[in-house]
Amino acid sequence: MAGEKIILYGSRYASTRRYAQALSEKTGIPAVRYQDAPELSGMETLIYLGALYAGGVLGLSKTLRHVSLREGQRLILITVGLADPDKPENRQNIRTALQRQLPAELLSRAEIAHLRGGVDYAKLSIVHRLMMAALYRSIRRIPAEKQTEENRALMETYGKRVDFTDLRTLEPIIQKIQGSEAENRVENG
């Protein structure tokens, strides 16, 4: 299995799946849902795209709980969320979520990227709508000066259909993957 690569994804409402499928098309690396993941120990490169959901990355813990990277093996983690990852506060919140889900050794070796997704409240399950309504009500009670960037984003988009998905934002990730392959060809050439 040496040299094999795989894209795994955890998607609830399609943004992450769209990114995973586009990344697969552009790199030729197969993409599968995390629930259908094959044996990962022999993979040279593991790419995990996960929706930010309920304070964590969907499926990440379950998928990587028994993974320990060996020498030369790569892990690329890509989060997909509603909040703007260009804001330092949002990146820190994502990092905190990743720290809760992964062992420090695994996280320290991971290459991490963040993408924006979307939400369509009309398509949320009843449970998710109720959760979002409760979160919205609790956030509304926080004074404006104490609101976080993430809270403000939720307040602005609550009840709406918004889509920040931009497949062009995959380009740096594709270059990183392909750059690594080129380096390996030169080293092994």
Side-chain angles (χ1 to χ4, degrees):
M1 277 196 173
E4 287 192 48
K5 298 169 183 61
I6 192 162
I7 297 168
L8 301 172
Y9 64 92
S11 184
R12 176 109 25 212
Y13 294 107
S15 295
T16 306
R17 178 179 41 82
R18 285 175 36 213
Y19 278 123
Q21 289 171 342
L23 187 60
S24 176
E25 288 170 14
K26 292 176 186 264
T27 61
I29 300 170
V32 297
R33 297 174 335 133
Y34 77 91
Q35 299 96 322
D36 302 324
E39 170 59 40
L40 301 176
S41 63
M43 296 290 172
E44 174 188 304
T45 302
L46 304 170
I47 302 165
Y48 191 92
L49 286 88
L52 291 167
Y53 173 75
V57 178
L58 183 63
L60 184 64
S61 296
K62 181 178 182 178
T63 304
L64 299 181
R65 72 174 154 223
H66 299 297
V67 171
S68 59
L69 297 178
R70 62 183 193 288
E71 189 64 35
Q73 198 173 23
R74 289 177 77 191
L75 173 61
I76 301 171
L77 297 178
I78 304 164
T79 66
V80 180
L82 191 57
D84 185 353
D86 289 336
K87 307 269 184 185
E89 179 183 344
N90 293 337
R91 279 195 312 275
Q92 183 54 48
N93 290 340
I94 296 168
R95 184 74 177 186
T96 300
L98 290 172
Q99 288 170 339
R100 284 192 305 263
Q101 289 187 276
L102 293 177
E105 189 275 329
L106 195 58
L107 187 56
S108 70
R109 294 205 32 213
E111 301 168 59
I112 301 171
H114 309 291
L115 304 172
R116 286 192 88 179
V119 66
D120 182 349
Y121 280 83
K123 291 185 179 180
L124 296 181
S125 70
I126 187 70
V127 171
H128 293 158
R129 268 188 262 152
L130 291 171
M131 287 172 49
M132 294 304 286
L135 181 59
Y136 176 77
R137 284 191 304 274
S138 71
I139 290 172
R140 248 188 7 200
R141 293 186 200 118
I142 300 170
E145 66 274 4
K146 293 186 178 182
Q147 291 285 351
T148 66
E149 283 290 332
E150 202 169 6
N151 289 353
R152 281 190 285 279
L154 189 134
M155 296 287 287
E156 291 169 11
T157 60
Y158 180 74
K160 300 176 184 168
R161 180 184 189 279
V162 294
D163 189 0
F164 299 110
T165 305
D166 182 354
L167 298 179
R168 294 172 299 184
T169 58
L170 287 171
E171 284 308 314
I173 297 164
I174 293 166
Q175 290 172 6
K176 183 176 284 236
I177 293 167
Q178 292 172 339
S180 173
E181 291 170 355
E183 289 170 20
N184 286 341
R185 281 193 296 270
V186 170
E187 288 174 11
N188 297 332

PDB file of all heavy atoms in Angstrom, residues 25-37:
ATOM      1  N   GLU A  25     -11.255  15.134  -7.912  1.00  0.00           N
ATOM      2  CA  GLU A  25     -11.197  15.324  -9.366  1.00  0.00           C
ATOM      3  C   GLU A  25      -9.893  15.992  -9.796  1.00  0.00           C
ATOM      4  O   GLU A  25      -9.321  15.633 -10.823  1.00  0.00           O
ATOM      5  CB  GLU A  25     -12.386  16.183  -9.822  1.00  0.00           C
ATOM      6  CG  GLU A  25     -13.709  15.471  -9.759  1.00  0.00           C
ATOM      7  CD  GLU A  25     -14.899  16.405  -9.978  1.00  0.00           C
ATOM      8  OE1 GLU A  25     -14.697  17.552 -10.447  1.00  0.00           O
ATOM      9  OE2 GLU A  25     -16.025  15.986  -9.675  1.00  0.00           O
ATOM     10  N   LYS A  26      -9.421  16.952  -9.016  1.00  0.00           N
ATOM     11  CA  LYS A  26      -8.230  17.712  -9.403  1.00  0.00           C
ATOM     12  C   LYS A  26      -6.921  16.979  -9.107  1.00  0.00           C
ATOM     13  O   LYS A  26      -5.898  17.291  -9.698  1.00  0.00           O
ATOM     14  CB  LYS A  26      -8.243  19.078  -8.728  1.00  0.00           C
ATOM     15  CG  LYS A  26      -9.354  19.973  -9.261  1.00  0.00           C
ATOM     16  CD  LYS A  26      -9.407  21.287  -8.508  1.00  0.00           C
ATOM     17  CE  LYS A  26     -10.589  22.101  -8.929  1.00  0.00           C
ATOM     18  NZ  LYS A  26     -10.325  23.076  -9.931  1.00  0.00           N
ATOM     19  N   THR A  27      -6.955  16.022  -8.178  1.00  0.00           N
ATOM     20  CA  THR A  27      -5.718  15.333  -7.805  1.00  0.00           C
ATOM     21  C   THR A  27      -5.686  13.871  -8.234  1.00  0.00           C
ATOM     22  O   THR A  27      -4.620  13.248  -8.214  1.00  0.00           O
ATOM     23  CB  THR A  27      -5.510  15.373  -6.277  1.00  0.00           C
ATOM     24  OG1 THR A  27      -6.607  14.693  -5.644  1.00  0.00           O
ATOM     25  CG2 THR A  27      -5.385  16.799  -5.769  1.00  0.00           C
ATOM     26  N   GLY A  28      -6.851  13.315  -8.563  1.00  0.00           N
ATOM     27  CA  GLY A  28      -6.909  11.892  -8.889  1.00  0.00           C
ATOM     28  C   GLY A  28      -6.886  10.995  -7.660  1.00  0.00           C
ATOM     29  O   GLY A  28      -6.795   9.774  -7.777  1.00  0.00           O
ATOM     30  N   ILE A  29      -6.986  11.573  -6.481  1.00  0.00           N
ATOM     31  CA  ILE A  29      -7.000  10.805  -5.231  1.00  0.00           C
ATOM     32  C   ILE A  29      -8.459  10.452  -4.915  1.00  0.00           C
ATOM     33  O   ILE A  29      -9.310  11.327  -4.920  1.00  0.00           O
ATOM     34  CB  ILE A  29      -6.385  11.623  -4.074  1.00  0.00           C
ATOM     35  CG1 ILE A  29      -4.931  12.001  -4.394  1.00  0.00           C
ATOM     36  CG2 ILE A  29      -6.465  10.842  -2.765  1.00  0.00           C
ATOM     37  CD1 ILE A  29      -4.325  13.006  -3.430  1.00  0.00           C
ATOM     38  N   PRO A  30      -8.748   9.185  -4.653  1.00  0.00           N
ATOM     39  CA  PRO A  30     -10.136   8.816  -4.375  1.00  0.00           C
ATOM     40  C   PRO A  30     -10.653   9.471  -3.091  1.00  0.00           C
ATOM     41  O   PRO A  30      -9.917   9.592  -2.109  1.00  0.00           O
ATOM     42  CB  PRO A  30     -10.103   7.293  -4.241  1.00  0.00           C
ATOM     43  CG  PRO A  30      -8.680   6.937  -4.035  1.00  0.00           C
ATOM     44  CD  PRO A  30      -7.842   8.036  -4.590  1.00  0.00           C
ATOM     45  N   ALA A  31     -11.929   9.870  -3.110  1.00  0.00           N
ATOM     46  CA  ALA A  31     -12.586  10.463  -1.950  1.00  0.00           C
ATOM     47  C   ALA A  31     -13.708   9.541  -1.490  1.00  0.00           C
ATOM     48  O   ALA A  31     -14.519   9.094  -2.300  1.00  0.00           O
ATOM     49  CB  ALA A  31     -13.155  11.834  -2.304  1.00  0.00           C
ATOM     50  N   VAL A  32     -13.729   9.263  -0.183  1.00  0.00           N
ATOM     51  CA  VAL A  32     -14.779   8.428   0.392  1.00  0.00           C
ATOM     52  C   VAL A  32     -15.253   9.029   1.710  1.00  0.00           C
ATOM     53  O   VAL A  32     -14.495   9.714   2.405  1.00  0.00           O
ATOM     54  CB  VAL A  32     -14.314   6.973   0.632  1.00  0.00           C
ATOM     55  CG1 VAL A  32     -13.947   6.285  -0.669  1.00  0.00           C
ATOM     56  CG2 VAL A  32     -13.166   6.901   1.602  1.00  0.00           C
ATOM     57  N   ARG A  33     -16.505   8.752   2.033  1.00  0.00           N
ATOM     58  CA  ARG A  33     -17.040   9.195   3.323  1.00  0.00           C
ATOM     59  C   ARG A  33     -16.243   8.526   4.450  1.00  0.00           C
ATOM     60  O   ARG A  33     -15.814   7.379   4.304  1.00  0.00           O
ATOM     61  CB  ARG A  33     -18.510   8.795   3.461  1.00  0.00           C
ATOM     62  CG  ARG A  33     -19.420   9.425   2.462  1.00  0.00           C
ATOM     63  CD  ARG A  33     -20.858   8.917   2.527  1.00  0.00           C
ATOM     64  NE  ARG A  33     -21.016   7.576   3.081  1.00  0.00           N
ATOM     65  CZ  ARG A  33     -21.922   7.257   4.002  1.00  0.00           C
ATOM     66  NH1 ARG A  33     -22.774   8.141   4.453  1.00  0.00           N
ATOM     67  NH2 ARG A  33     -22.008   6.023   4.442  1.00  0.00           N
ATOM     68  N   TYR A  34     -16.070   9.232   5.552  1.00  0.00           N
ATOM     69  CA  TYR A  34     -15.288   8.658   6.653  1.00  0.00           C
ATOM     70  C   TYR A  34     -15.897   7.349   7.146  1.00  0.00           C
ATOM     71  O   TYR A  34     -15.167   6.447   7.573  1.00  0.00           O
ATOM     72  CB  TYR A  34     -15.104   9.661   7.803  1.00  0.00           C
ATOM     73  CG  TYR A  34     -16.306   9.845   8.695  1.00  0.00           C
ATOM     74  CD1 TYR A  34     -16.479   9.073   9.840  1.00  0.00           C
ATOM     75  CD2 TYR A  34     -17.271  10.815   8.422  1.00  0.00           C
ATOM     76  CE1 TYR A  34     -17.577   9.246  10.662  1.00  0.00           C
ATOM     77  CE2 TYR A  34     -18.365  10.999   9.246  1.00  0.00           C
ATOM     78  CZ  TYR A  34     -18.515  10.216  10.365  1.00  0.00           C
ATOM     79  OH  TYR A  34     -19.599  10.398  11.181  1.00  0.00           O
ATOM     80  N   GLN A  35     -17.221   7.202   7.045  1.00  0.00           N
ATOM     81  CA  GLN A  35     -17.872   5.965   7.482  1.00  0.00           C
ATOM     82  C   GLN A  35     -17.457   4.775   6.629  1.00  0.00           C
ATOM     83  O   GLN A  35     -17.571   3.635   7.060  1.00  0.00           O
ATOM     84  CB  GLN A  35     -19.405   6.099   7.421  1.00  0.00           C
ATOM     85  CG  GLN A  35     -19.981   7.180   8.299  1.00  0.00           C
ATOM     86  CD  GLN A  35     -20.225   8.485   7.550  1.00  0.00           C
ATOM     87  OE1 GLN A  35     -19.443   8.876   6.692  1.00  0.00           O
ATOM     88  NE2 GLN A  35     -21.308   9.178   7.891  1.00  0.00           N
ATOM     89  N   ASP A  36     -16.970   5.032   5.419  1.00  0.00           N
ATOM     90  CA  ASP A  36     -16.590   3.968   4.496  1.00  0.00           C
ATOM     91  C   ASP A  36     -15.071   3.843   4.352  1.00  0.00           C
ATOM     92  O   ASP A  36     -14.589   3.241   3.389  1.00  0.00           O
ATOM     93  CB  ASP A  36     -17.197   4.240   3.111  1.00  0.00           C
ATOM     94  CG  ASP A  36     -18.711   4.349   3.154  1.00  0.00           C
ATOM     95  OD1 ASP A  36     -19.341   3.602   3.944  1.00  0.00           O
ATOM     96  OD2 ASP A  36     -19.270   5.180   2.422  1.00  0.00           O
ATOM     97  N   ALA A  37     -14.328   4.405   5.294  1.00  0.00           N
ATOM     98  CA  ALA A  37     -12.860   4.423   5.206  1.00  0.00           C
ATOM     99  C   ALA A  37     -12.281   3.007   5.204  1.00  0.00           C
ATOM    100  O   ALA A  37     -12.693   2.155   5.989  1.00  0.00           O
ATOM    101  CB  ALA A  37     -12.264   5.208   6.368  1.00  0.00           C
TER     102      ALA A  37
END
